[in-house]
Amino acid sequence: MREALATHESSISIGGRELSNLRFADDIDLIAGSNDELQELTDKLADRSNAYGMEMSSEKSKVMVNTHNNGISVNIMMNDQKLEEVHSFKYLGSVITKDGSSDKDVGARIGQATSAFTRLDTIWKSNTLSFKVKVKIFKTLVVSIFLYGCESWTLKANTCRRIQAFEMKAYRKLLRISYTEHKTNEFVRNRVEELTGPQELLLETVKRRKLTWYGHVNRHNSLAKTIMQGSVEGIRRRGKQRKCWMDNILEWTNMDLQVLLRQTEDREQWRKITTAASRILPPPPEEVTG
């Protein structure tokens, strides 16, 4: 990568820092502001890879345009093959979409967690294991799958409802409460606490992790901090803007950006703010149907 990028001048700048790629081991994400620039980057990387006996896979490589204008497309060639243009792709286990939303990633996480939950059906039906033990297994083997990468999510009202619905569906299964019994979600939550003691709700965990990560990034000088605090050149689209990642932090803490930056410098103070803010949740859905 160093040789491939030695003479490259990126047209993408965030907070005054040029950005042409993101990489983790052999998973490389090239970033460019035009078709020609991306093709040049691809050619340089392919050339230097071949020089060291490595081959880039045209089948596994994809290209995506991050823009609100759906009429823009790209034509990138690698190994004499045109790369497939996609609207979403998986990078380091998370689903990245063209519109920058987290909906598909959250949906994929719910799907994977649900699949893991179903495979453990024998445990949930066991009469020898206590409910408390089942909850520990659920959090260890199912919730851990769901929470992967949750720090990067942008939570909207619909996303929050889906998270709450997934959790309630799982607890109803563990408690063997059928929907035909017409028990409310409040009844289910109270029953869980009666058997296990106070439990941090799943949505609360997601919020706490996101707030904790925000404070951690702000206390260190890194690329993540540059991207989080920096801005990209260009104009915003007309009309109401989509909710972005930072909007969640501002909304949950009810603080402006300058106050937030000062508060995160004090680790203990930020931990208290995180705990209080994560406990403020939207009203849960009264009835879960799926």
Side-chain angles (χ1 to χ4, degrees):
M1 282 302 299
R2 290 191 182 92
E3 291 183 18
L5 299 173
T7 59
H8 179 72
E9 293 185 6
S10 177
S11 63
I12 303 296
S13 175
I14 300 180
R17 179 173 177 174
E18 289 188 1
L19 190 64
S20 61
N21 70 94
L22 299 172
R23 58 185 186 269
F24 181 85
D26 61 343
D27 289 315
I28 300 173
D29 182 10
L30 297 178
I31 305 171
S34 67
N35 188 96
D36 290 342
E37 182 184 355
L38 185 57
Q39 183 65 68
E40 179 186 355
L41 268 176
T42 304
D43 292 342
K44 286 182 177 179
L45 184 58
D47 176 68
R48 298 320 302 156
S49 296
N50 291 332
Y52 289 95
M54 296 181 289
E55 183 178 349
M56 295 172 62
S57 172
S58 303
E59 290 73 22
K60 293 182 179 180
S61 299
K62 311 294 180 183
V63 59
M64 185 175 75
V65 178
N66 184 12
T67 177
H68 297 299
N69 186 347
N70 294 324
I72 297 179
S73 61
V74 290
N75 182 17
I76 303 299
M77 304 295 293
M78 178 190 292
N79 301 329
D80 297 324
Q81 295 184 41
K82 181 179 177 180
L83 297 184
E84 179 186 1
E85 184 177 347
V86 297
H87 293 285
S88 66
F89 68 95
K90 183 175 286 189
Y91 184 66
L92 301 181
S94 295
V95 179
I96 312 297
T97 60
K98 184 174 183 175
D99 63 3
S101 74
S102 303
D103 295 345
K104 277 197 172 183
D105 193 31
V106 174
R109 284 287 132 198
I110 290 177
Q112 292 175 47
T114 300
S115 179
F117 185 85
T118 303
R119 290 195 298 270
L120 297 169
D121 195 53
T122 302
I123 292 177
W124 312 141
K125 292 180 179 180
S126 172
N127 293 320
T128 58
L129 295 175
S130 69
F131 180 76
K132 199 168 186 177
V133 170
K134 291 179 181 179
V135 169
K136 287 184 179 179
I137 294 174
F138 168 63
K139 291 193 172 184
T140 302
L141 301 181
V142 178
V143 173
S144 59
I145 293 175
F146 171 76
L147 292 174
Y148 177 86
C150 68
E151 294 86 353
S152 67
W153 293 345
T154 298
L155 299 184
K156 299 182 290 187
N158 183 57
T159 312
C160 293
R161 286 193 293 269
R162 294 180 69 186
I163 294 173
Q164 292 172 313
F166 165 72
E167 182 179 33
M168 285 297 103
K169 185 176 181 179
Y171 279 139
R172 285 177 182 272
K173 179 75 172 180
L174 296 184
L175 290 167
R176 301 183 187 179
I177 297 177
S178 171
Y179 289 104
T180 59
E181 297 180 42
H182 303 292
K183 300 294 185 181
T184 65
N185 287 337
E186 184 179 1
F187 173 86
V188 174
R189 290 191 299 272
N190 290 337
R191 184 59 179 154
V192 170
E193 291 200 354
E194 286 176 10
L195 296 172
T196 64
Q199 293 288 324
E200 183 178 65
L201 296 176
L202 190 54
L203 182 56
E204 184 179 339
T205 302
V206 174
K207 291 179 64 176
R208 177 176 54 79
R209 286 196 173 196
K210 181 168 177 174
L211 287 163
T212 299
W213 189 76
Y214 174 75
H216 173 77
V217 170
N218 275 335
R219 288 190 294 271
H220 299 80
N221 291 321
S222 63
L223 177 59
K225 183 177 181 179
T226 299
I227 294 174
M228 182 186 294
Q229 296 185 1
S231 59
V232 182
E233 293 182 1
I235 58 175
R236 305 186 73 177
R237 66 186 181 92
R238 297 179 62 183
K240 184 179 180 180
Q241 304 299 318
R242 289 193 180 99
K243 178 173 284 189
C244 67
W245 189 92
M246 193 62 202
D247 289 336
N248 284 157
I249 305 296
L250 297 171
E251 177 185 326
W252 296 341
T253 59
N254 197 28
M255 299 178 184
D256 62 40
L257 186 57
Q258 294 305 316
V259 174
L260 274 174
L261 294 177
R262 290 195 298 270
Q263 293 291 350
T264 56
E265 295 174 0
D266 186 331
R267 191 186 302 271
E268 291 301 319
Q269 178 64 17
W270 184 246
R271 185 177 290 115
K272 293 178 182 178
I273 293 173
T274 294
T275 300
S278 62
R279 289 176 177 170
I280 303 175
L281 302 176
E286 282 304 314
E287 193 174 22
V288 180
T289 58

